[in-house]
Structures are given as C-alpha cells and as structure tokens.
Amino acid sequence: MPDAREEARDAQESEAARRRRRAQFLRELHEAKQLRDRVQPRRARAARMRQQMRMRTFRW
C-alpha cells in the first residue's frame, strides 16, 4: 500500500509534467500562429482588425 507521502509526490510530479506539456503546447501554438501570420498577411491583418473591434466594443 502506498502511503500518503508517495501519493503526494506522484501528484506533484504529474502536476509538473502537466505544466511542462502545457507550456510546450502553448509555445508550439504561438509559433504556428506566427507562421500562419507570415504566410497569410492579409488574413492576419483582418483578424487583428476584428480583434481590435471586439476589444473596443467590450464592456467592463
């Protein structure tokens, strides 16, 4: 039977592994978005404009 200390250590390791995977995913997502923006500049500009309009009309 594993005791509480071993379970806590496993939970911490899995949490750290999850954070590493998430950080890697976010890095790759950001890189993919940058690549898409370079490849399709007109679409990227339109998306930026839409986002700016969304932020201007957003109410706090």
Side-chain angles (χ1 to χ4, degrees):
M1 288 249 180
D3 61 356
R5 284 180 297 190
E6 288 180 13
E7 289 177 8
R9 184 171 45 86
D10 291 343
Q12 283 178 341
E13 288 175 7
S14 63
E15 180 70 18
R18 187 188 71 80
R19 287 181 189 215
R20 276 194 301 275
R21 285 194 312 272
R22 182 174 185 272
Q24 179 68 26
F25 169 77
L26 292 175
R27 276 193 300 272
E28 290 174 359
L29 180 65
H30 183 69
E31 184 179 331
K33 284 181 179 179
Q34 286 181 330
L35 177 62
R36 190 173 62 220
D37 289 350
R38 279 197 308 272
V39 172
Q40 302 173 333
R42 188 166 48 192
R43 186 176 291 177
R45 182 176 185 271
R48 277 196 311 273
M49 294 297 193
R50 283 192 301 274
Q51 177 65 16
Q52 288 173 358
M53 185 61 73
R54 247 183 268 135
M55 294 307 289
R56 263 184 255 146
T57 58
F58 182 77
R59 293 202 174 179
W60 296 98

